[in-house]
Amino acid sequence: MTQKNMPSMLPHIQALETYEGVDPMEVMAERAGIPPEKIIRLNGNENPYGPSPKVAAALGDYQNYNYYPDPGQRNLRRVLSGYLGVEQEHIVAGNGSDEMIDLLLRMYVGIGDNVIIPSPTFGMYSFSAGICGGEAISVERGENFEIDLEAMKSAINNKSKIIFLTSPNNPTGNIVPEAQTRAMLDTGLLVVMDEAYFEFCGETAIPLLSEYPNLVVLRTFSKWAGLAGLRIGVGAMDPDLAATMMAMKPPYNVNLAAEVALTTSLEDTPGLLERVKQIVTERDRMMDQLKQVPNLTPWPSQANFILCQVPDGRGKEIFEGLCSRGIFLRYWSSGRLKNFIRTSIGLPHETDAVVEALRELCA
Ligand SMILES: *Cc1c(COP(=O)(O)O)cnc(C)c1O
């Protein structure tokens, strides 16, 4: 269809490559020709145990869904203050930490600006920078996926605004040592430390907030608390920055179901952390098993997933072999990770099925 006089779309939006999220279970099942309940879904780093069992009841009992949520996030910021160990005025909650990333970029990055990211890492930083008309400058990580500090510093130019760090990093599983975080903070750029997998490793940059007004720490309830489908993430930052973000965010960005689920999850933190412990134990067991698969190299991980290197040129074939068995892992068709596959940590029987399939496919 054509419409006369219709304005042309912004070129940087037209040029955008979409972010490939994970497909729903039914779509995966149909693709593999397998019933949905038989699918092994380990491509999104989701929590195999689901939300706290108290969440469903709390969502059902809540009476006020006909009202808008509080644009000031008063209750949310109060309960999150306990979780993060910082005062409320440092806190903003978002529709997933994806929204926090988007808001930060919209605050700092316009057409022609750039952000610096150690690559490979999470895809949302460059995707969301692109929506702002900005560019992501990818700085290749070293041999063991460690951040190359000197290369990061040399990549900075007068259009650079934000450095994105991820600890543990997705998909490589390694953390950012504090000395490296400090070195990046000392550049003076805004440093966004994405701690989506904090609960699986226990290391955090939160204590640095009192020293560095240019630090933002992001957390999410998607992974450790099993709330990926309800979309709730959070940022801790300098109070002035938080106040501006509160003023520019969509007023009702966190819906009431997410708020009820978050509050209930925090009341059940010990139960949820018990499951996190089970996932970490399972990760270590899976690591031991993967190490014994011939032609496969699992990389050490401090998160709820393991990145595995497969023989050169065989990534696609192995990925497709897994799919046809109803096992869905994360695969990258190009770039440095094209000989890698990432598996989330699932239930013990899922570990066994993945290891068994990889043993056959990598032979
Ligand atoms: C999964 C993930 C997120 C997404 O979090 P949401 O709160 O679900 O938007 C953010 N950062 C990293 C590094 C992730 O792996």
Side-chain angles (χ1 to χ4, degrees):
M1 269 195 303
T2 53
Q3 170 69 54
K4 227 174 37 179
N5 300 332
M6 192 165 159
S8 57
M9 210 180 283
L10 291 168
H12 69 269
I13 296 295
Q14 268 179 307
L16 211 62
E17 277 181 48
T18 187
Y19 180 85
E20 304 230 1
V22 284
D23 285 327
M25 216 79 141
E26 309 79 62
V27 174
M28 293 182 192
E30 190 167 332
R31 200 177 300 148
I34 288 172
E37 65 278 8
K38 292 239 170 85
I39 291 293
I40 295 183
R41 170 191 173 109
L42 296 175
N43 57 356
N45 301 339
E46 293 149 330
N47 193 316
Y49 296 102
S52 156
K54 302 193 165 81
V55 164
L59 287 173
D61 289 345
Y62 189 74
Q63 294 296 320
N64 294 326
Y65 293 120
N66 53 320
Y67 298 126
Y68 285 106
D70 172 15
Q73 302 182 341
R74 274 158 273 235
N75 174 54
L76 268 176
R77 295 171 97 192
R78 186 176 54 75
V79 296
L80 283 167
S81 167
Y83 162 65
L84 291 164
V86 299
E87 298 296 321
Q88 299 175 38
E89 61 270 20
H90 292 267
I91 297 171
V92 182
N95 191 276
S97 45
D98 286 353
E99 188 188 32
M100 301 304 298
I101 294 165
D102 177 67
L103 290 171
L104 286 161
L105 284 160
R106 286 201 275 155
M107 290 166 80
Y108 285 91
V109 173
I111 294 175
D113 292 332
N114 68 63
V115 301
I116 314 280
I117 57 173
S119 171
T121 190
F122 186 50
M124 284 301 289
Y125 314 132
S126 57
F127 172 73
S128 296
I131 291 178
C132 298
E135 184 201 354
I137 298 182
S138 289
V139 177
E140 202 55 41
R141 289 167 181 266
E143 211 179 322
N144 295 315
F145 296 119
E146 74 283 8
I147 293 171
D148 182 342
L149 283 185
E150 290 317 307
M152 292 287 286
K153 286 186 211 159
S154 327
I156 296 171
N157 61 36
N158 62 0
K159 291 290 194 180
S160 303
K161 300 294 164 74
I162 304 182
I163 297 173
F164 281 98
L165 303 178
T166 318
S167 187
N169 184 44
N170 175 7
T172 59
N174 54 325
I175 62 163
V176 184
E178 184 180 320
Q180 289 204 331
T181 307
R182 285 181 182 275
M184 292 293 94
L185 285 162
D186 289 336
T187 64
L189 296 191
L190 188 74
V191 173
V192 177
M193 174 60 89
D194 185 343
E195 298 184 349
Y197 303 96
F198 160 73
E199 278 74 12
F200 301 97
C201 85
E203 303 229 8
T204 178
I206 292 269
L208 298 182
L209 282 169
S210 57
E211 280 180 65
Y212 294 96
N214 57 330
L215 173 64
V216 177
V217 177
L218 301 183
R219 298 273 185 85
T220 177
F221 283 69
S222 294
K223 314 294 169 37
W224 75 283
L227 298 179
L230 283 176
R231 315 300 305 125
I232 184 144
V234 52
M237 65 201 86
D238 176 75
D240 289 340
L241 182 49
T244 307
M245 190 183 268
M246 287 299 292
M248 62 83 74
K249 74 175 176 58
Y252 311 119
N253 62 329
V254 177
N255 70 69
L256 277 171
E259 177 171 340
V260 169
L262 176 140
T263 311
T264 311
S265 299
L266 287 177
E267 286 161 6
D268 192 23
T269 300
L272 286 167
L273 290 181
E274 193 49 47
R275 289 154 159 212
V276 165
K277 221 160 93 188
Q278 271 174 275
I279 294 168
V280 168
T281 303
E282 185 60 16
R283 174 190 74 205
D284 296 344
R285 187 180 81 90
M286 189 177 205
M287 180 65 78
D288 286 342
Q289 304 237 330
L290 289 171
K291 278 183 183 159
Q292 289 166 38
V293 175
N295 303 321
L296 185 94
T297 311
W299 286 73
S301 170
Q302 307 230 43
N304 65 343
F305 54 82
I306 298 175
L307 185 67
C308 299
Q309 192 166 357
V310 300
D312 273 2
R314 294 188 54 201
K316 185 158 195 271
E317 159 207 330
I318 291 169
F319 171 71
E320 284 170 357
L322 289 161
C323 290
S324 67
R325 287 164 168 79
I327 298 174
F328 292 87
L329 306 187
R330 185 73 162 88
Y331 163 70
W332 299 264
S333 55
S334 63
R336 181 171 172 186
L337 294 178
K338 69 178 189 297
N339 298 317
F340 289 81
I341 283 174
R342 187 195 69 198
T343 178
S344 310
I345 307 304
L347 300 169
H349 79 270
E350 295 177 316
T351 300
D352 297 340
V354 171
V355 170
E356 177 62 32
L358 283 171
R359 203 180 282 284
E360 286 170 29
L361 291 162
C362 294

